[in-house]
């Protein structure tokens, strides 16, 4: 699995995302720039410029028509994927830490930071698909402040008007965006900050990673923990491999204490775990610092990881990966 090394950022990566077709890879980092690449060969297609601070988060709609980004300049921006033009900017009192489209691409949920007397807020915006996309409503459709621990990650669920959130305390919760009430929660989902949350391809389950060194698969309807994967390093990201019973996790020691540890001890590898048996099945090395974000191609043919070192590495899986029989002779079709 010779990686394709993408060098388009000057600072550490914050999030990477494949589009629904898997032919494009979007990357954002602390250098204020969002890049888009062809995922099959790593050729850079273009950049989305205009942010005045770290771009924390990015998401693309199912048609690959619009891109949304959240940044430390307190803005949520809507971009035209094809032209790189910024179509609309929403401004908030604090930084936007997470954005996510719903399954149809008609709404966006975003989390803003708790800072300077402002509470952590979750807002849902309708995305107006008509005309050229520049006519958007300035006001959110729904807005509420989660009580207690601040939210760090979020995503829509299949249940209408319900979002799933991960919190600083390790809690995972479901919120009704219309009323702002907490429908359900699992206070002890994790023991530390929830760092990532990714939905499965069919949106029927999700995976979270946390600084408590564990990744967990949850049922987004009941918040029941279905599987737990315990590692010995704080995790920054976890992703699900479609068509194969594997999950990928990445993390590593905090960037500040990295100078004192060798690559081996820092544990900067992408780790593959068997989704059913909860056993580690492989590791891929390469990054010179903690892995901040991982994304898997929607068809399961490749994956990409972004690190503190400013590099994105795209790995196309070898034939042996597809020939392997993770369940023995049993063939399971996803």
């Amino acid at each position: 699995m010779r990686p394709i090394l993408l060098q388009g950022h000057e600072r550490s990566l914050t999030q990477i995302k494949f589009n629904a077709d898997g032919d494009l890879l979007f990357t954002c980092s602390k250098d204020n720039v969002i890049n888009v690449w062809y995922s099959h060969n790593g050729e850079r297609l273009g950049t989305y410029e205009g942010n005045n601070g770290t771009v924390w988060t990015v998401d693309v709609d199912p048609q690959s028509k619009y891109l949304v980004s959240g940044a430390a300049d307190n803005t949520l921006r809507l971009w035209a994927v094809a032209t790189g033009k910024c179509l609309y900017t929403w401004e908030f009192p604090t930084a936007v830490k997470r954005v996510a489209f719903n399954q149809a691409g008609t709404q966006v949920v975003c989390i803003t930071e708790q800072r300077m007397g402002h509470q952590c807020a979750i807002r849902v915006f309708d995305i107006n698909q008509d005309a050229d996309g520049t006519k958007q409503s300035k006001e959110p459709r729904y807005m509420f402040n989660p009580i207690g621990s601040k939210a760090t990650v979020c995503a829509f669920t299949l249940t209408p008007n319900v979002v799933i959130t991960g919190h600083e305390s390790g809690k995972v919760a479901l919120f009704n965006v219309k009323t702002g009430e907490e429908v359900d929660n699992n206070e002890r989902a994790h023991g530390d900050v929830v760092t990532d949350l990714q939905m499965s391809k069919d949106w029927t389950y999700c995976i979270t990673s946390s600084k408590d060194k564990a990744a967990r698969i949850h049922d987004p309807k009941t918040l029941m923990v279905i599987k737990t994967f315990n590692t010995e390093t704080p995790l920054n990201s976890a992703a699900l491999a479609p068509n194969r019973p594997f999950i990928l996790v990445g993390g590593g020691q905090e960037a500040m204490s990295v100078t004192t540890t060798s690559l081996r001890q820092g544990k900067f590898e992408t780790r593959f775990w068997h989704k059913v048996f909860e056993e580690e099945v492989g590791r891929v090395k390469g990054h010179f610092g903690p892995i901040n974000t991982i994304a898997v191609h929607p068809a399961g043919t490749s994956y990409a990881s972004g690190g503190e070192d400013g590099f994105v590495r795209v790995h196309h899986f070898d034939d042996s990966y597809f020939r392997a029989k993770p369940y023995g002779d049993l063939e399971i079709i996803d």
Side-chain angles (χ1 to χ4, degrees):
M1 278 201 331
R2 291 238 355 243
I4 302 171
L5 206 60
L6 309 185
Q7 297 171 283
H9 292 287
E10 291 166 11
R11 295 188 58 197
S12 52
L13 273 290
T14 49
Q15 199 176 9
I16 54 182
K17 246 337 192 307
F18 282 96
N19 66 342
D21 298 331
D23 56 341
L24 300 177
L25 178 66
F26 296 89
T27 61
C28 62
S29 89
K30 292 184 179 173
D31 62 5
N32 312 0
V33 171
I34 305 164
N35 283 323
V36 56
W37 318 75
Y38 282 122
S39 62
H40 66 284
N41 63 3
E43 183 188 336
R44 179 152 68 165
L45 193 58
T47 56
Y48 300 85
E49 289 178 352
N51 284 105
N52 301 319
T54 296
V55 183
W56 287 116
T57 171
V58 63
D59 198 13
V60 57
D61 76 349
Q63 290 78 37
S64 304
K65 184 179 176 187
Y66 295 129
L67 179 77
V68 285
S69 67
D73 60 2
N74 306 352
T75 62
L76 169 71
R77 289 171 194 259
L78 182 72
W79 310 80
V81 169
T83 62
K85 201 172 130 205
C86 180
L87 302 173
Y88 198 86
T89 304
W90 289 271
E91 294 192 4
F92 307 115
T94 57
V96 180
K97 293 304 284 254
R98 192 71 170 205
V99 294
F101 271 106
N102 65 354
Q103 208 178 15
T106 53
Q107 286 185 325
V108 165
V109 59
C110 77
I111 294 178
T112 51
E113 265 284 56
Q114 176 178 333
R115 217 168 250 152
M116 301 179 306
H118 293 282
Q119 280 201 301
C120 166
I122 295 177
R123 294 174 175 85
V124 174
F125 289 93
D126 288 329
I127 299 296
N128 177 6
Q129 307 273 6
D130 300 335
D132 57 358
T134 52
K135 303 214 172 10
Q136 303 294 339
S137 157
K138 188 167 183 284
E139 295 304 315
R141 165 61 70 98
Y142 307 116
M143 176 189 162
F144 62 93
N145 303 94
I147 309 293
S149 169
K150 75 174 187 190
T152 51
V153 290
C154 64
F156 280 99
T157 63
L158 285 178
T159 316
N161 297 320
V162 172
V163 293
I164 182 166
T165 56
H167 295 253
E168 206 173 39
S169 63
K171 169 174 93 169
V172 172
L174 292 173
F175 284 95
N176 181 325
V177 291
K178 272 186 165 173
T179 60
E181 89 183 274
E182 199 172 291
V183 184
D184 200 356
N185 70 38
N186 180 352
E187 291 282 356
R188 287 194 275 293
H190 283 286
D192 206 340
V193 181
V194 180
T195 51
D196 196 11
L197 184 150
Q198 296 192 20
M199 302 300 285
S200 65
K201 201 174 172 184
D202 59 2
W203 293 55
T204 52
Y205 57 96
C206 67
I207 187 163
T208 56
S209 64
S210 166
K211 293 276 186 219
D212 69 357
K213 306 182 180 179
R216 293 197 164 93
I217 290 179
H218 308 263
D219 178 341
K221 277 202 170 88
T222 62
L223 296 186
M224 187 179 93
V225 174
I226 302 169
K227 293 283 174 188
T228 300
F229 311 92
N230 287 312
T231 68
E232 64 276 23
T233 174
L235 296 179
N236 295 329
S237 191
L240 296 152
N243 313 331
R244 294 264 123 187
F246 300 125
I247 66 142
L248 290 71
V249 297
Q253 228 175 344
E254 283 293 332
M256 352 186 247
S257 48
V258 164
T259 47
T260 56
T261 52
S262 69
L263 280 179
R264 186 69 228 244
Q265 285 171 314
K267 307 209 169 34
F268 310 133
E269 302 125 331
T270 302
R271 298 160 174 236
F272 287 72
W273 288 69
H274 199 293
K275 197 158 68 179
V276 180
F277 303 134
E278 301 183 11
E279 285 172 0
E280 191 174 337
V281 291
R283 293 186 186 189
V284 178
K285 292 191 178 67
H287 283 285
F288 295 103
I291 293 172
N292 291 340
T293 172
I294 292 179
V296 180
H297 191 289
T301 54
S302 63
Y303 84 91
S305 57
E308 191 71 30
D309 54 8
F311 293 119
V312 178
R313 301 172 78 88
V314 180
H315 294 263
H316 289 275
F317 292 126
D318 293 337
D319 278 349
S320 57
Y321 172 83
F322 299 105
R323 282 203 309 271
K325 296 188 169 177
Y327 294 115
D329 287 334
L330 194 64
E331 273 300 316
I332 289 186
I333 296 163
D334 237 7

